[in-house]
Amino acid sequence: MSDTGYGDFEFERRFVARGVPTELLDAAPALIVQSYYLADEGFALRVRAQVSAVSRVDVRDDELTLLERYADRVDFCAVTVKGPMNAGTRYEAEREIDPLVGVEMVRRGGERVAKLRHSVWLGEDGWVVDVFAGANAPLVVAEVERGGPVTDLAIPDFCVTEVTTDPRFANDGLAHTPYVRWAAAWEAEFARRGPQFLPGFGRDHRMTGI
C-alpha cells in the first residue's frame, strides 16, 4: 500500500520472468501463502500469511501443505481489499492482523496462492521476484512498485514480456484459475505474438547484462 500522498493506491508493473540470475535471488526468501475470499472482475478480498525467511522449499508442494509446514513460523499476516487494475494503478487497502488469526483464515477458506518472494535492487528501483508454488509452478513473475506511476522504467533482460494488465497473471486470477491449467495455451500465444510491453510509460528501456 502506498503512503506517498496517493492514499490507498499502488502503482506497479509486472513481467513474466525467465532465467533470473541466481546471484539476484535470496538464499532465504520470504514464503507467502494467501487466500482469496473474493476475486471477481478485479475486485479482491485477500488474507496473507508470511514467513520472513525460508530455505529448501519444494515449489511442487501444494499451497496448504506449505502453509501447514511453516504455520508456526508465520510472522506477518494482513487482510487486504483490492480494486481492478487500471494501466498499472490499483486501489489497495491493507490492515495487519494477528498471525494466529491470519493463519486460521488462510487455512479455512478461499482460493490459495503460494510463492517464494525474492527482493532485489536494480538500478533505481526495488523489484520483487515471485517464484510460484503448487498449481502455479513453475511461473515466475517480476514486479516493480513505486509511490507513483511507474514510468521511464529500466526493464531487466530476464523480464520477457509484460503482464501488468493481463488478469490471468494477477494473484487473484492465479488463485481462481491456476497457471497449470492454461500454461500450454499461453506459451503458444506468446510464441505467436512475441514479447509485449505497455505503451505510454515514458522512455522505458531494457537493462542489459542482468
Side-chain angles (χ1 to χ4, degrees):
M1 180 177 63
S2 171
D3 59 358
T4 58
Y6 286 94
D8 292 330
F9 285 89
E10 60 178 0
F11 300 86
E12 65 182 25
R13 291 175 67 182
R14 309 176 79 238
F15 305 84
V16 170
R18 299 276 169 83
V20 181
T22 55
E23 62 268 22
L24 297 182
L25 299 178
D26 298 320
L31 171 66
I32 295 171
V33 184
Q34 50 199 32
S35 180
Y36 286 86
Y37 281 77
L38 169 70
D40 185 38
E41 297 184 351
F43 293 93
L45 174 62
R46 181 191 77 195
V47 179
R48 168 179 287 179
Q50 180 172 316
V51 182
S52 294
V54 295
S55 59
R56 297 186 298 276
V57 173
D58 190 343
V59 297
R60 295 170 298 181
D61 287 339
D62 66 66
E63 295 79 5
L64 190 56
T65 295
L66 290 171
L67 177 69
E68 297 298 346
R69 183 169 297 152
Y70 294 96
D72 61 346
R73 293 176 53 190
V74 169
D75 50 17
F76 174 81
C77 283
V79 59
T80 305
V81 174
K82 288 176 173 275
M85 175 69 72
N86 181 13
T89 303
R90 192 175 189 186
Y91 175 83
E92 177 182 303
E94 179 179 285
R95 179 179 176 182
E96 186 173 352
I97 60 175
D98 186 289
L100 293 176
V101 175
V103 167
E104 289 297 336
M105 293 289 289
V106 176
R107 179 181 283 145
R108 292 167 184 269
E111 301 290 341
R112 301 181 191 89
V113 166
K115 56 190 179 182
L116 296 174
R117 169 157 287 184
H118 302 262
S119 299
V120 59
W121 194 263
L122 296 174
E124 298 181 353
D125 285 299
W127 289 72
V128 295
V129 177
D130 286 336
V131 178
F132 285 86
N136 286 298
L139 178 64
V140 180
V141 172
E143 174 184 313
V144 61
E145 184 173 337
R146 293 180 183 167
V150 184
T151 60
D152 302 336
L153 179 64
I155 303 172
D157 282 348
F158 59 74
C159 293
V160 297
T161 192
E162 186 159 1
V163 292
T164 300
T165 59
D166 190 332
R168 294 174 295 182
F169 288 92
N171 279 245
D172 46 332
L174 293 170
H176 186 265
T177 309
Y179 180 67
V180 68
R181 299 185 191 175
W182 48 272
W186 183 83
E187 290 290 352
E189 176 187 324
F190 177 57
R192 183 174 63 254
R193 63 173 172 76
Q196 303 288 314
F197 297 92
L198 292 180
F201 279 90
R203 297 183 300 277
D204 285 352
H205 62 278
R206 297 291 278 176
M207 187 185 299
T208 58
I210 295 180

